[in-house]
Amino acid sequence: MNSPSGNAADTPPGKTDDALAHVETTQAGKADDESAAQTVAEQMTTASPISPVFQTVIDRADSALTVRMDNPVLKVGEDLLRFEVTSSIKGHVTVYVLTSEQSPIQLLPNARVPTLPIEAGKPLMVPPPREPIQAAGPAGVNEFLVVVTEQPRSHVHLGLQDHCGFGLIDTGRLNSTTASKKAGLEGISPCEQDGCQDRMAAAWFSVDEVD
């Protein structure tokens, strides 16, 4: 995935069913055509199973998000990533991608979009129109994880490194947090210190990038 403005199977058990059931894809301009609508359950017949690091966050979520896409197939170097998120809780959005090369990246927030708030029940277009993200390849399946938390969370433990304006995640640190059951991609909540409320909602989907 590049930012033009900055160069930049089987359904798993537990809460995954809920999260995946709330993700839908529709082709742009064909919203009224039932054949154009594709649920994630159908998409998963051809998509790769959800990655373990994403599954961990889904399992820890309190609820699922609703995600709608214009197009689940993006042409490298031409098409823009666009999807709509609706959350039952007011909070802050974080978006991750596991690229076709298996590189985990935090897409949002980033250097140009330091925070991405969302209102409960109000659809939010992601990424913000002012900061488009273009399919950059290589061709293949890209997995996405969308997380909404009531409180802004810290992600310093992921060892983010600048990657075309996005945050390349240190896989060693990520695997360590997953194995130890400590906070991973969901971030470290400030409520661990002061006991405030910090519910989390999440959803997973995949996108095919093609040449």
Side-chain angles (χ1 to χ4, degrees):
M1 292 293 168
N2 273 350
S3 172
S5 61
N7 188 38
D10 290 336
T11 304
K15 296 181 181 177
T16 307
D17 281 352
D18 235 10
L20 296 182
H22 285 73
V23 186
E24 300 177 350
T25 57
T26 56
Q27 295 178 4
K30 298 184 180 180
D32 295 329
D33 183 356
E34 292 184 3
S35 65
Q38 179 186 30
T39 66
V40 165
E42 294 169 338
Q43 181 184 12
M44 287 190 69
T45 61
T46 56
S48 301
I50 184 170
S51 66
V53 290
F54 285 0
Q55 178 69 67
T56 297
V57 180
I58 293 293
D59 288 343
R60 293 174 179 174
D62 299 292
S63 60
L65 299 169
T66 298
V67 177
R68 292 184 64 85
M69 289 199 68
D70 288 337
N71 190 353
V73 180
L74 304 180
K75 189 170 179 59
V76 174
E78 294 185 12
D79 294 336
L80 299 178
L81 173 71
R82 286 193 300 264
F83 58 93
E84 184 182 85
V85 179
T86 305
S87 172
S88 61
I89 62 175
K90 176 181 179 179
H92 305 266
V93 179
T94 302
V95 180
Y96 299 99
V97 60
L98 185 63
T99 70
S100 58
E101 296 178 307
Q102 297 301 295
S103 297
I105 295 173
Q106 181 178 296
L107 287 181
L108 295 161
N110 58 44
R112 294 173 298 279
V113 185
T115 182
L116 191 59
I118 187 171
E119 296 293 328
K122 185 176 180 180
L124 177 70
M125 186 59 66
V126 180
R130 70 182 186 279
E131 290 294 341
I133 297 176
Q134 187 179 67
V141 176
N142 290 262
E143 292 186 54
F144 290 83
L145 176 70
V146 185
V147 181
V148 172
T149 57
E150 286 188 282
Q151 307 295 333
R153 297 191 178 186
S154 170
H155 299 91
V156 295
H157 61 295
L158 297 178
L160 299 177
Q161 302 173 22
D162 180 69
H163 179 74
C164 300
F166 304 119
L168 180 64
I169 298 170
D170 184 315
T171 54
R173 291 193 185 188
L174 179 59
N175 292 335
S176 175
T177 59
T178 302
S180 63
K181 298 184 179 181
K182 294 181 180 179
L185 296 177
E186 67 269 32
I188 298 175
S189 172
C191 297
E192 293 182 8
Q193 300 294 328
D194 59 25
C196 57
Q197 179 171 271
D198 191 12
R199 292 172 297 168
M200 178 175 71
W204 171 96
F205 65 94
S206 66
V207 169
D208 284 327
E209 288 193 10
V210 297
D211 292 325

